[in-house]
């Protein structure tokens, strides 16, 4: 008798015709699907520069920002993106309210559904939370993952892809290094899947052994423990934020030593290609993972990433809501 | 009560028996095989033609549903469910609420189990008070009130001095210690530390959580002479360490859960909370090694690792869902399937299911004349589907839901009494 097939990873973010109905992870999406999001973001990028910064694409629809973890910038960019699409927006910071009173996540969800919301933008401290919510919402309700534990942060990854495409015009042939705390990073995991699918030539993960999870090499990446070697000849440097609690925990000796070994300084950046672009999902820790002269330097794309975040999140929202691009004009 | 089980295939690894013949029971014990004793007139005859007649399963180290468990499962639901699964003895862990560290809790459980019917429920007592890993529990007192072993269940004993004293004292008292090998500082993840966990971003439990704990315990076994049984070995390396220690002559044994023989780390794909187990499901190579170890006796026993959870418990993001799977319904068919696959002989499978009796000196586990008549009559060809409706346990928290199964217990006898019998397709005749 055959071995059991557990409830396998059915890609619940796609409907039967393979269309994106939730955006939970960059894993498992095709190059065409990822490119379609980037193209759409390109079209939306102009909206922010107009005097009237709105398109009526999601008029009459309700978007709920469901944040179980504090966040300012991600929540704000989703809010701006939804507002530019003319949606109604509801911000819920659940970390202060319902679940604290013992209400289960599922009950919170059903209560909100009863208010006839169309889209949940979810951030949660536990890996898999967005999948869990997507599996339990009513048909016709969409879910966008705004970060779940260490698992995925797909819209951040897509805005990083957008930024790379803007700067480099392509993915083929690029050498990319992701530097820092890979173990705890949902951004890194989403970037890895997207970059592999979009066809970069080489993807390196750079960090100390304590911050590189065993088994990550199975994703087709190369591991480096030495920053300069890891940066040698790369076209894109993607820095990761080092959370404060990591510095105090047993995984690292301290911020000073981390900066000396893995901090991106101008001298370290010299190992990369001369036109290498430097990115960071923010908020940056100056003098911990990156030096100010690099963060504010000519090769930095960090602030542009934030701007791109709005167009990319508009694109993702429109995509999962099945809003046709014709209505956008 | 005199009862004959006729024409069944009797399989008894304890006596090397595998033969189609009759079995005669009286006053709760096996009295004869083949011909009945002179003047034996059975009050009941069970026709076991086409069935396996096995010693009832002795399932070591289950989580008892009460006191202090969930809302739905109770001894009243789980002990009869176990009997339906061919299990005649359940040996509970002391991690109830309150903990089994005093006679009152043991008595409460025995009383409720008596009222519940179904499988016999035995307790293992606490190794340390409150399972806190600080002070020794009253092991002699617990032994005298009927605890068949002592254990700290899944609660860690961080201080090696406490573990050393606990093993020395257990050796003094003469009780077997059940240890779950998990090094506390490394065991706080929710999945195996490996490729799947790294990709899903779920905190991992490395293999070294098991092997470090095993190494420490094995050295202390050697020094103390305590008799130790390791529960739920999950890694290839762990299985190898136990087998080597036994070869060196240490008084150790081990078990593996049926889940770990059929599933590996990939079962958690899609954040499937039903596959959240403790210890976690490990790599495919570990699963293969655990199977091989069970086949060659490196691991002695297979067990259900039963823990019935309320239906809503697993409706949570992965890390928030409690670990554990319901297993009393599934242990028998999933083990028989390993026989069908050719991994185990039927005799070895039965030995692995019932060997806890011999290990702990309990009744049952044998069909020899004089043995306590705990029996499972099994239709090896019955096909069924694992679903909340077909599972007798109140917990349908299992990664095997929706799976086709083959082999089902059709009657269970405890001390010569029929405690469960299937209807419709098979029934007993009374002369």
């Amino acid at each position: 008798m055959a071995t059991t097939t557990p409830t396998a990873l059915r890609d619940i973010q796609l409907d039967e015709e393979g269309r994106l109905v939730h955006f939970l992870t960059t894993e498992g999406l095709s190059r065409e699907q990822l490119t379609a999001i980037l193209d759409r973001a390109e079209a939306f990028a102009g909206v922010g520069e107009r005097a009237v910064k709105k398109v009526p694409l999601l008029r009459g629809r309700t978007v709920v920002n469901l944040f179980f973890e504090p966040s300012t910038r991600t929540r704000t960019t989703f809010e701006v993106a939804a507002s530019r699409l003319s949606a109604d927006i509801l911000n819920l910071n659940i970390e202060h309210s319902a679940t604290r009173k013992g209400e289960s996540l599922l009950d919170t969800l059903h209560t909100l559904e009863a208010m006839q919301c169309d889209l949940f933008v979810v951030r949660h401290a536990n890996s898999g939370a967005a999948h869990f919510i997507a599996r339990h919402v009513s048909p016709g309700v969409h879910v966008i993952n705004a970060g779940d534990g260490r698992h995925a942060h797909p819209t951040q990854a897509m805005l990083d892809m957008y930024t790379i495409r803007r700067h480099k015009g392509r993915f083929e042939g690029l050498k990319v290094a992701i530097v820092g705390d890979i173990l705890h990073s949902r951004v890194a995991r989403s970037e890895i899947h997207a970059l592999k699918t979009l066809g970069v030539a080489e993807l390196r993960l750079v960090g100390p052994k304590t911050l590189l999870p065993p088994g990550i090499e199975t994703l087709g990446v190369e591991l480096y423990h030495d920053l300069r070697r890891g940066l040698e000849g790369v076209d894109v440097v993607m820095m990761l934020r080092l959370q404060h609690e990591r510095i105090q925990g047993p995984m690292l000796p301290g911020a000073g030593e981390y900066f000396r070994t893995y901090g991106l300084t101008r001298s370290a950046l010299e190992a990369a290609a001369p036109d290498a672009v430097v990115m960071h999902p923010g908020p940056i820790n100056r003098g911990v993972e990156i030096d100010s002269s690099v963060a504010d330097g000519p090769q930095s794309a960090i602030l542009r990433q934030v701007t791109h975040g709005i167009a990319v999140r508009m694109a993702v929202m429109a995509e999962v809501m099945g809003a046709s691009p014709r209505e956008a004009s | 009560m005199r009862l004959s089980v006729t024409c069944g295939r009797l399989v008894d690894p304890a006596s090397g028996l595998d033969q189609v013949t009759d079995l005669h029971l009286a006053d709760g014990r096996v009295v004869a095989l083949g011909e009945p004793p002179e003047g034996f007139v059975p009050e009941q005859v069970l026709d076991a033609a086409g069935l396996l007649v096995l010693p009832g399963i002795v399932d070591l180290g289950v989580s008892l549903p009460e006191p202090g468990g969930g809302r739905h499962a109770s001894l009243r639901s789980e002990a009869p469910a176990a009997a339906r699964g061919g299990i005649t003895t359940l040996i509970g862990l002391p991690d109830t609420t309150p903990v089994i560290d005093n006679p009152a809790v043991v008595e409460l459980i025995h009383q409720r189990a008596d009222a519940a019917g179904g499988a016999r429920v035995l307790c293992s007592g606490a190794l340390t008070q409150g399972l806190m890993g600080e002070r020794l529990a009253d092991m002699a007192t617990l032994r005298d009130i009927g605890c068949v072993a002592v254990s700290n269940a899944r609660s860690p004993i961080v201080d090696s001095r406490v573990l050393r004293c606990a093993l020395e004292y257990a050796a003094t008292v003469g009780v077997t210690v059940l240890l779950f090998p998990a090094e506390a500082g490394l065991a706080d993840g929710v999945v195996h530390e490996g490729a799947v966990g790294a990709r899903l971003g779920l905190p991992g439990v490395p293999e070294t959580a098991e092997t470090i704990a095993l190494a420490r315990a094995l050295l202390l076994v050697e020094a103390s002479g305590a008799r130790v049984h390791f529960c739920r070995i999950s890694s290839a390396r762990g299985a190898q360490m136990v087998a080597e220690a036994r070869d060196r002559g240490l008084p150790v044994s081990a078990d593996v859960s049926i889940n770990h023989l059929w599933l590996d780390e990939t079962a958690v794909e899609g954040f499937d909370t039903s596959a959240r187990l403790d210890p976690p499901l490990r790599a495919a190579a570990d699963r293969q090694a655990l199977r091989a170890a069970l086949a060659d006796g490196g691991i002695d026993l297979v067990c259900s690792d039963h823990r019935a959870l309320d239906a809503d418990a697993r409706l949570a993001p992965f890390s928030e869902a409690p670990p554990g799977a319901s297993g009393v319904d599934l242990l028998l068919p999933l083990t028989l399937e390993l026989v069908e696959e050719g991994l185990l002989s039927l005799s070895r499978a039965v030995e692995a299911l019932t060997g806890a009796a011999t290990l702990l000196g309990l009744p049952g586990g044998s069909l020899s004349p004089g043995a306590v008549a705990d029996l499972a009559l099994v239709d090896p060809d019955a096909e069924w589907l694992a679903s909340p409706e077909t599972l007798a346990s109140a917990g349908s928290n299992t990664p095997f839901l929706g799976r086709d199964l083959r082999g089902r217990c059709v009657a269970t006898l405890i001390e010569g009494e029929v405690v469960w019998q299937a209807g419709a397709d098979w029934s007993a005749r009374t002369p």
Side-chain angles (χ1 to χ4, degrees):
Chain A
M1 207 170 284
T3 58
T4 169
T5 316
T7 335
L9 184 65
R10 282 183 318 257
D11 203 338
I12 57 165
Q13 54 185 351
L14 304 178
D15 68 8
E16 278 148 20
E17 280 110 51
R19 286 191 9 205
L20 200 66
V21 289
H22 306 295
F23 193 44
L24 308 176
T25 168
T26 51
E27 184 182 359
L29 297 184
S30 66
R31 187 184 293 207
E32 291 67 35
Q33 282 167 318
L34 296 179
T35 306
I37 293 171
L38 298 179
D39 291 345
R40 201 162 217 203
E42 204 85 57
F44 282 133
V47 173
E49 286 147 27
R50 302 200 305 227
V52 179
K53 296 184 175 58
K54 280 204 179 193
V55 289
L57 213 52
L58 298 185
R59 178 177 292 158
R61 309 281 205 110
T62 306
V63 174
V64 180
N65 272 332
L66 195 53
F67 278 58
F68 295 89
E69 234 187 24
S71 153
T72 312
R73 64 174 65 202
T74 302
R75 205 205 63 220
T76 310
T77 51
F78 268 110
E79 204 177 319
V80 173
S83 130
R84 289 198 180 154
L85 292 168
S86 310
D88 296 317
I89 306 138
L90 207 62
N91 280 314
L92 286 168
N93 295 331
I94 308 286
E95 86 261 27
H96 301 304
S97 57
T99 47
R100 279 277 169 86
K101 294 177 196 151
E103 187 178 60
S104 83
L105 176 51
L106 215 49
D107 291 330
T108 306
L109 193 70
H110 291 323
T111 306
L112 293 169
E113 270 192 340
M115 300 175 196
Q116 268 132 32
C117 302
D118 301 290
L119 171 68
F120 289 115
V121 176
V122 181
R123 166 164 296 187
H124 196 284
N126 282 330
S127 301
H131 275 79
F132 173 76
I133 289 172
R135 203 171 291 130
H136 289 100
V137 291
S138 313
V141 177
H142 307 276
V143 177
I144 292 175
N145 185 2
D148 63 326
R150 309 174 181 181
H151 171 239
H153 193 353
T155 60
Q156 176 68 42
M158 289 313 291
L159 76 87
D160 295 339
M161 298 308 112
Y162 184 86
T163 308
I164 292 174
R165 198 170 78 164
R166 276 257 166 140
H167 280 80
K168 298 293 173 190
R170 70 203 151 89
F171 294 94
E172 294 81 4
L174 291 184
K175 290 183 185 174
V176 180
I178 305 176
V179 182
D181 182 3
I182 312 289
L183 174 65
H184 299 97
S185 177
R186 50 193 173 212
V187 176
R189 285 175 178 78
S190 286
E191 285 170 343
I192 291 169
H193 295 303
L195 288 165
K196 294 299 289 183
T197 305
L198 290 167
V200 296
E202 205 179 312
L203 182 50
R204 305 172 181 179
L205 305 183
V206 187
K209 280 190 173 188
T210 47
L211 298 180
L212 292 171
I216 197 80
E217 68 284 353
T218 56
L219 298 181
V221 294
E222 288 169 51
L223 305 186
Y224 287 79
H225 304 306
D226 182 90
L227 178 63
R228 270 159 233 267
R229 270 199 215 147
L231 293 184
E232 222 162 69
V234 302
D235 305 290
V236 180
V237 185
M238 309 180 88
M239 300 304 294
L240 296 173
R241 177 178 163 77
L242 188 70
Q243 301 285 352
H244 205 63
E245 60 263 33
R246 310 298 168 221
I247 303 167
Q248 288 160 339
M251 291 178 175
L252 292 172
E257 176 151 319
Y258 186 79
F259 184 68
R260 279 192 291 281
T261 47
Y262 294 101
L264 188 64
T265 58
R266 280 162 89 163
S267 120
L269 188 57
E270 279 169 14
D275 61 344
V277 57
V278 174
M279 297 163 55
H280 189 298
I284 59 176
N285 292 314
R286 292 168 187 269
V288 179
E289 69 260 357
I290 192 163
D291 190 62
S292 284
S293 65
V294 176
D296 307 328
Q299 286 169 269
S300 168
I302 296 171
L303 278 181
R304 265 160 290 167
Q305 283 175 268
V306 182
T307 317
H308 297 158
I310 296 165
V312 166
R313 284 169 178 133
M314 287 170 77
V316 169
M317 283 182 182
E319 195 77 28
V320 298
M321 302 277 276
S324 140
R326 283 190 308 276
E327 298 167 51
S329 51
Chain B
M1 176 77 176
R2 289 177 306 280
L3 190 149
S4 294
V5 181
T6 59
C7 304
R9 179 179 168 192
L10 274 55
V11 181
D12 181 21
S15 62
L17 176 79
D18 184 349
Q19 187 185 340
V20 175
T21 186
D22 299 343
L23 186 68
H24 308 286
L25 318 174
D27 302 323
R29 293 191 176 263
V30 176
V31 290
L33 299 166
E35 288 300 309
E38 190 78 21
F40 183 91
V41 182
E43 294 154 68
Q44 194 181 4
V45 174
L46 298 176
D47 177 4
L51 302 179
L52 303 173
V53 178
L54 313 175
I57 297 168
V58 182
D59 195 9
L60 180 59
V62 301
S63 290
L64 293 175
E66 59 179 319
R71 302 180 299 283
H72 302 310
S74 61
L75 287 170
R76 206 173 276 279
S77 68
E78 301 313 285
R84 283 184 62 162
I87 296 167
T88 48
T89 302
L90 286 172
I91 300 166
L93 293 170
D95 57 348
T96 48
T97 310
V99 167
I100 307 179
D101 61 0
N102 65 76
V105 182
V106 180
E107 280 167 2
L108 173 74
I109 291 168
H110 285 168
Q111 274 169 22
R112 290 201 185 169
D114 282 348
R120 177 189 297 115
V121 177
L122 301 176
C123 296
S124 52
L127 186 63
T128 62
Q129 290 177 27
L131 306 180
M132 302 294 283
E134 289 162 6
R135 306 191 59 205
L136 303 189
D138 297 342
M139 295 183 218
T141 308
L142 290 165
R143 175 201 61 193
D144 293 344
I145 194 90
C147 290
V148 298
V150 289
S151 175
N152 225 53
R154 287 176 168 89
S155 299
I157 296 178
V158 176
D159 187 338
S160 295
R161 190 182 52 154
V162 174
L163 182 60
R164 177 194 171 180
C165 293
L167 294 185
E168 285 174 348
Y169 190 76
T172 310
V173 171
V175 289
T176 299
V177 181
L178 313 177
L179 289 182
F180 284 76
E183 170 68 18
L186 294 171
D188 64 350
V190 298
V191 294
H192 172 58
E193 183 182 275
V196 175
R199 208 180 78 245
L200 295 180
L202 290 168
V205 179
E207 176 200 271
T208 47
E210 178 164 296
T211 51
I212 288 173
L214 274 173
R216 179 179 73 151
L218 287 168
L219 292 167
L220 292 173
V221 165
E222 197 166 344
S224 66
R227 167 87 192 75
V228 169
H229 176 84
F230 292 104
C231 297
R232 317 306 114 92
I233 297 298
S234 68
S235 70
R237 190 75 188 275
Q240 187 193 348
M241 288 171 75
V242 174
E244 283 171 4
R246 191 187 2 237
D247 290 347
R248 281 210 318 277
L250 296 188
V252 292
S253 53
D255 67 53
V256 60
S257 95
I258 190 66
N259 305 310
H260 287 71
L261 297 175
W262 282 106
L263 303 172
D264 60 33
E265 57 178 337
T266 59
V268 307
E269 289 285 10
F271 299 98
D272 186 349
T273 50
S274 70
R276 181 170 175 204
L277 303 175
D278 177 18
L281 294 163
R282 296 197 183 275
D286 291 305
R287 183 174 74 100
Q288 287 309 326
L290 292 170
R291 286 176 157 225
L294 185 68
D296 69 21
I299 288 178
D300 305 75
L301 308 176
V302 60
C303 58
S304 71
D305 199 24
H306 180 75
R307 185 182 181 201
L309 296 170
D310 291 338
D312 51 8
R314 49 173 301 224
L315 293 179
F318 195 88
S319 300
E320 291 175 28
S326 176
V328 288
D329 293 274
L330 301 164
L331 176 59
L332 176 70
L334 290 174
T335 305
L336 289 177
E337 226 174 278
L338 296 172
V339 176
E340 201 172 332
E341 274 198 359
L343 177 76
L344 306 178
S345 67
L346 181 57
S347 169
R348 173 67 193 123
V350 174
E351 183 183 57
L353 288 167
T354 62
T358 319
L359 213 68
L360 297 175
L362 306 175
S366 170
L367 301 180
S368 296
V372 167
D374 288 359
L375 307 179
L377 276 55
V378 177
D379 179 351
D381 300 318
E383 293 185 357
W384 59 293
L385 178 80
S387 74
E389 292 72 38
T390 57
L391 298 177
S393 165
S396 51
N397 53 305
T398 161
F400 297 106
L401 275 191
R403 190 184 193 281
D404 289 317
L405 298 162
R406 193 175 158 92
R408 188 150 210 193
C409 180
V410 291
T412 306
L413 285 74
I414 294 178
E415 292 178 23
E417 302 279 341
V418 178
V419 297
W420 145 253
Q421 190 168 354
D425 50 315
W426 190 86
S427 62
R429 288 178 292 118
T430 308

